[in-house]
Amino acid sequence: MATSMSETLSAAEPVDLLAKFDPIIQTREALLAAGVEDPFNLVMEQVLSPTRAICNGRDTILLGTYNYMGMTFDDDVIAAGKAAMEDFGAGTTGSRVLNGTFRDHRDVEAALREFYAMDHAMVFSTGYQANLGIISTLAGKGDYIILDIDSHASIYDGCAMGKAEVVPFKHNDVEALEKRLKRIPEGAGKLVVLEGVYSMMGDVAPLKEMVRIAKENGAMVLVDEAHSMGFIGEHGRGVAEDQGVIDDVDFIIGTFSKSVGTVGGFCVSNHPKFEVLRLVCRPYVFTAALPPSVMASSATSIRKLMHNGNKRAHLWENSRTLHAGLRALGFQLGTETPQSAIIAVIMPDLEKGAMMWEALLKEGLYVNLARPPATPAGMTLLRCSLCAEHSSEQVQTILGMFERAGKAIGII
Ligand SMILES: Cc1ncc(COP(=O)(O)O)c(C=O)c1O
């Protein structure tokens, strides 16, 4: 008798490739069963400004969007995007190396060269792709990447894609970096990868010492300044500028999805051979270029960020006020002093963290809930990112919300 199709299929039951995620499914189900609103399924029904939105039906202050300079609603940024969409259409439908380089892709790269005072700039579709592409293209099989253990996922993925030897060192530990560098075989290609601001705890890297040590040991240096652009350093070029070592950094990686307020990623450099990367970097070549509207908005935003001293000063004031206020309330914070626009509030565990996140949302405050494996040392964090557009009154309102929620949950 002929075997039916369904019998054939059931005979060859596949191994469920999603079974490995069962523990995550169970943890999530347990959390939701406790009646908590899903922290990873928030909907912004309406965005009212860089600091306010209607989230899950409530008027909410945004304190977890990385919109540091509040450029998302800047009139000039929006106007530039609208004009480019009218003139060039909605999308590029092509790679940068084929039909996807429009006037505004060139212009945003010019804006980045002006902003960083560097010779070369290359724009990617996201910051994730910038790290993936640049790191994997620079360091291949037989080369060594020495990186801070708390590096962003896009950095680790870039390392994996390039197949270089990965040598992690303890977070922000200058001696550990030096020890690792000294153990690498002489003559090998070496890339030290650092971040200016580490986004989980909001702490700054000791780039001054680290860049010096990297150079003394014959390594090239890449610094991801995703969380410092537009805010830290005299010209907003980041921590490397602030600590006086930007001229010794070979490659700076950044993103448009934070201070710039749009989407996209980039690498800037003074390396004389930099332009060859456009031909060999797969996450640049084999993907569609960003829409012209995004490029025009980004170029306008970057140029405005060059003249934003007052906003930067206000953002620092907000960061200092929130840090001091949360400490005074008795919360445990990721840094002793405010080092950036990120303030991490350490939660006792995931359950309490999720309860606190929800209590804040009900108060009308959105923060990021971060949990392992994204966080260092298995911590659950409520990550707050301030915006230059938060008013001083909003910061006081936020402190009141933290106080009420913290007491209700029993954290303070
Ligand atoms: C340090 C760091 N690098 C890169 C990225 C990726 O940026 P994008 O959002 O543009 O992909 C992020 C984003 O969270 C980041 O924190």
Side-chain angles (χ1 to χ4, degrees):
M1 207 169 74
T3 324
S4 76
M5 186 65 128
S6 63
E7 273 169 334
T8 317
L9 282 179
S10 66
E13 193 66 42
V15 172
D16 182 3
L17 293 171
L18 293 185
K20 55 182 163 288
F21 304 118
D22 285 350
I24 296 178
I25 293 170
Q26 280 149 18
T27 308
R28 189 181 144 88
E29 277 171 358
L31 206 64
L32 297 182
V36 173
E37 261 180 77
D38 187 347
F40 305 110
N41 206 10
L42 180 97
V43 180
M44 302 225 181
E45 283 116 5
Q46 210 187 330
V47 182
L48 307 170
S49 76
T51 64
R52 271 181 61 222
I54 306 295
C55 299
N56 291 3
R58 289 184 209 97
D59 195 334
T60 305
I61 298 179
L62 303 174
L63 191 68
T65 60
Y66 304 100
N67 191 359
Y68 299 124
M69 300 303 287
M71 300 306 279
T72 47
F73 278 81
D74 181 277
D75 288 343
D76 299 324
V77 169
I78 291 175
K82 277 185 181 166
M85 186 179 284
E86 295 280 346
D87 293 347
F88 287 87
T92 60
T93 73
S95 157
R96 287 294 306 276
V97 294
L98 296 173
N99 58 305
T101 295
F102 293 13
R103 177 197 68 185
D104 290 308
H105 295 81
R106 283 284 169 81
D107 189 47
V108 80
E109 288 175 344
L112 284 167
R113 290 195 299 273
E114 289 161 32
F115 186 91
Y116 284 97
M118 290 209 179
D119 295 339
H120 305 280
M122 190 169 161
V123 166
F124 291 77
S125 297
T126 61
Y128 177 90
Q129 278 166 285
N131 270 331
L132 195 70
I134 294 292
I135 294 172
S136 64
T137 310
L138 289 174
K141 215 168 165 31
D143 297 323
Y144 287 79
I145 295 172
I146 307 90
L147 87 181
D148 189 293
I149 195 147
D150 287 350
S151 292
H152 189 261
S154 56
I155 293 175
Y156 275 105
D157 292 354
C159 296
M161 185 169 159
K163 300 192 176 70
E165 290 289 331
V166 179
V167 184
F169 64 88
K170 190 172 158 222
H171 178 56
N172 271 354
D173 188 326
V174 178
E175 273 176 33
L177 166 65
E178 187 162 26
K179 268 193 203 150
R180 299 286 181 282
L181 271 167
K182 295 223 178 293
R183 274 195 224 133
I184 292 172
E186 219 166 293
K190 286 170 274 195
L191 179 66
V192 169
V193 177
L194 305 165
E195 293 179 34
V197 172
Y198 285 86
S199 68
M200 284 297 150
M201 304 299 262
D203 54 336
V204 158
L207 289 187
K208 196 178 167 78
E209 293 80 14
M210 288 186 159
V211 172
R212 178 182 53 79
I213 284 166
K215 291 283 143 173
E216 280 170 7
N217 286 276
M220 287 187 136
V221 179
L222 178 150
V223 179
D224 181 332
E225 296 271 18
H227 293 276
S228 50
M229 181 188 185
F231 171 45
I232 297 181
E234 191 189 344
H235 301 91
R237 292 174 189 151
V239 178
E241 179 188 36
D242 196 44
Q243 298 187 11
V245 290
I246 195 163
D247 291 341
D248 294 319
V249 173
D250 299 279
F251 307 95
I252 290 179
I253 295 281
T255 174
F256 296 161
S257 71
K258 315 223 183 280
S259 287
V260 178
T262 62
V263 66
F266 64 87
C267 181
V268 291
S269 173
N270 281 328
H271 197 292
K273 296 181 189 166
F274 185 79
E275 294 297 323
V276 74
L277 294 174
R278 292 188 200 270
L279 303 176
V280 293
C281 180
R282 295 168 69 88
Y284 179 84
V285 174
F286 294 103
T287 198
L290 285 166
S293 52
V294 173
M295 295 293 83
S297 286
S298 307
T300 302
S301 178
I302 292 163
R303 290 195 172 104
K304 287 194 90 165
L305 287 176
M306 291 167 78
H307 311 284
N308 253 339
N310 289 347
K311 271 182 125 181
R312 265 182 236 154
H314 181 65
L315 182 51
W316 273 120
E317 188 190 310
N318 281 347
S319 175
R320 283 192 287 267
T321 309
L322 186 67
H323 191 282
L326 289 172
R327 258 186 99 125
L329 286 171
F331 286 101
Q332 199 192 340
L333 305 183
T335 54
E336 282 292 302
T337 52
Q339 296 185 14
S340 68
I342 302 170
I343 293 170
V345 187
I346 301 171
M347 295 289 108
D349 53 46
L350 178 59
E351 198 191 345
K352 279 256 158 54
M355 285 164 70
M356 181 72 188
W357 178 88
E358 190 189 39
L360 286 173
L361 194 64
K362 288 193 169 145
E363 286 279 344
L365 182 67
Y366 173 75
V367 297
N368 283 153
L369 175 66
R371 61 184 174 99
T375 50
M379 279 188 277
T380 297
L381 304 172
L382 293 184
R383 284 189 308 162
C384 308
S385 53
L386 285 146
C387 176
E389 297 283 332
H390 281 126
S391 65
S392 306
E393 295 72 42
Q394 272 179 319
V395 177
Q396 292 306 323
T397 305
I398 290 166
L399 284 169
M401 291 166 158
F402 261 97
E403 182 172 15
R404 284 190 295 278
K407 284 183 176 156
I409 305 301
I411 291 173
I412 53 168

